[in-house]
Amino acid sequence: MHKNIFIILISVLFINCKQTTIAQPQANTTENQILEKIKSSEIKDIIGFLASDELGGRDTGSEGLEKAAKFIEEEFKKYGVAPYFETYRDTFRATGIETYNIVGFIKGTDPVLANEFIILGAHFDHIGTGNEVNGDTIANGANDNAAGSSAVLSMAKQFAQLKNNKRSILFVLFGAEEKGLLGSEHLANLLKNKNTEVYTMVNFEMIGVPLKDKPYKAYITGYDKSNMAEKINDYVGSEFIGYLPKAKEFQLFMRSDNYPFYMQFKVPCQTISTFDFTNYNYYHHVDDEASEMNYEFIAEFINDCVPAIVKMANTTNKEITLNK
């Protein structure tokens, strides 16, 4: 082969190889991608608004609840989380009053697994007013349950950026929980009637302050009903979820928004909480204020929880199951 021709061929091959390398698409986002962690300041902004005096305790049918709903809708829009229904609102009546759940949606990326749904929920309503203390009658509901609401919003933001969930996820802020789980009951019935395939439901309730003298960060209601606690701990790589005897004693499994979903779908539907009856004195109290929240802890809790939900949304099989 002539020397000049050889040099030309080598040059052409080098150029083609370089162009091929440049043209390669970026690798798809994997479930191991690490995002910038949720900051405590972000949590403080969310709870600070939802539990502000301006919202008057977020009672069902109140102007304050409407302000909270609009805030949540704007957060979803900002994150790029779509409404599940025609709008974000799932409207129903509670004790004769029209109210709503706020429902965001991120469709799964897998053509098969996208038909399976994970529901992440927390109620955003509260009781409005309480017994007067030093002239204050507004039951702000910071721990109950602006804190849990901040977890759902933060996870919606994370998953909207990750775009890696093979299963579909609903991010639900329930209304009328304080009226008897009416918002979750309505949505569970609605999804059941649509033949929605629910894999699991994880509810967040009162996560504003850490547990005391416990080896785990949070407990789960209905601990022995499924392997959810075990699998979450496996996914996180630490003893994140534990068993709280008082949760069983007080039948907390049946007292939060997980319960209507369990009743309808008979799949693992449980609530994660850090309120253990000894570490917070302001349940349904006017002093349940934003200033009482431990924002560093809440942010740490959410950041620890995200990898577990990511794994839950991406396993090939349904690894979380009811116990027989």
Side-chain angles (χ1 to χ4, degrees):
M1 184 180 291
H2 194 280
K3 183 179 179 181
N4 290 340
I5 296 175
F6 178 77
I7 292 171
I8 291 169
L9 285 173
I10 291 297
S11 299
V12 170
L13 286 171
F14 175 76
I15 291 168
N16 287 341
C17 182
K18 188 175 181 181
Q19 288 175 337
T20 301
T21 302
I22 292 171
Q24 288 294 318
Q26 291 184 345
N28 290 333
T29 302
T30 70
E31 66 183 72
N32 296 319
Q33 179 180 347
I34 299 173
L35 291 177
E36 184 178 347
K37 291 187 175 183
I38 294 293
K39 298 182 177 66
S40 60
S41 58
E42 298 175 75
I43 303 302
K44 188 174 184 178
D45 287 344
I46 293 170
I47 296 176
F49 178 76
L50 292 178
S52 64
D53 286 352
E54 179 187 346
L55 271 60
R58 308 186 308 280
D59 198 3
T60 299
S62 69
E63 182 181 345
L65 189 76
E66 173 66 16
K67 289 180 179 179
K70 287 180 177 177
F71 171 81
I72 292 164
E73 289 169 328
E74 288 304 313
E75 290 297 293
F76 279 157
K77 288 177 186 175
K78 185 167 66 179
Y79 307 155
V81 174
Y84 181 61
F85 301 104
E86 289 185 11
T87 70
Y88 290 108
R89 300 197 183 196
D90 166 36
T91 303
F92 62 96
R93 297 190 73 80
T95 62
I97 300 170
E98 184 175 286
T99 190
Y100 31 74
N101 302 312
I102 309 298
V103 187
F105 173 58
I106 299 180
K107 186 176 181 178
T109 60
D110 185 276
V112 176
L113 293 178
N115 296 314
E116 300 174 7
F117 281 70
I118 292 171
I119 301 171
L120 303 180
H123 73 91
F124 78 109
D125 68 307
H126 196 49
I127 62 172
T129 57
N131 294 329
E132 180 180 340
V133 176
N134 297 324
D136 181 13
T137 60
I138 297 173
N140 301 80
N143 198 30
D144 185 17
N145 189 32
S149 298
S150 75
V152 174
L153 286 172
S154 298
M155 290 182 192
K157 180 180 180 180
Q158 291 286 77
F159 277 96
Q161 293 178 53
L162 281 168
K163 297 180 175 65
N164 71 342
N165 50 292
K166 293 179 181 179
R167 291 185 173 87
S168 295
I169 306 178
L170 293 181
F171 302 90
V172 186
L173 287 307
F174 294 108
E177 188 269 357
E178 300 288 3
K179 303 298 183 185
L181 313 182
L182 298 183
S184 50
E185 181 179 43
H186 169 80
L187 183 59
N189 290 339
L190 188 60
L191 294 178
K192 184 68 173 180
N193 290 336
K194 290 180 63 175
N195 295 315
T196 307
E197 185 177 357
V198 174
Y199 169 31
T200 187
M201 189 273 185
V202 184
N203 190 56
F204 297 93
E205 177 83 54
M206 300 182 72
I207 58 166
V209 296
L211 293 165
K212 293 181 179 178
D213 303 319
K214 303 288 193 302
Y216 46 84
K217 189 160 289 182
Y219 67 89
I220 198 166
T221 64
Y223 183 93
D224 56 356
K225 291 187 178 297
S226 80
N227 66 344
M228 186 184 288
E230 175 190 343
K231 295 309 295 183
I232 288 177
N233 289 342
D234 286 346
Y235 296 158
V236 172
S238 66
E239 190 180 6
F240 180 66
I241 299 293
Y243 170 67
L244 184 75
K246 278 189 175 294
K248 186 171 186 177
E249 178 185 345
F250 288 96
Q251 298 183 314
L252 298 188
F253 177 72
M254 297 185 290
R255 293 173 58 184
S256 285
D257 286 314
N258 61 285
Y259 190 62
F261 290 92
Y262 171 77
M263 292 299 292
Q264 283 292 347
F265 294 96
K266 290 298 186 286
V267 297
C269 300
Q270 290 160 271
T271 292
I272 296 175
S273 179
T274 66
F275 171 69
D276 69 357
F277 302 91
T278 68
N279 61 344
Y280 196 70
N281 295 323
Y282 303 127
Y283 173 69
H284 283 191
H285 194 287
V286 298
D287 287 338
D288 184 8
E289 301 266 10
S291 59
E292 298 295 326
M293 297 296 93
N294 186 326
Y295 294 107
E296 293 293 336
F297 168 77
I298 301 170
E300 182 181 283
F301 168 93
I302 295 169
N303 287 321
D304 285 350
C305 201
V306 166
I309 306 300
V310 168
K311 189 72 175 179
M312 200 181 295
N314 285 285
T315 57
T316 302
N317 300 317
K318 294 178 179 179
E319 297 183 348
I320 298 173
T321 57
L322 292 177
N323 292 330
K324 295 180 181 180

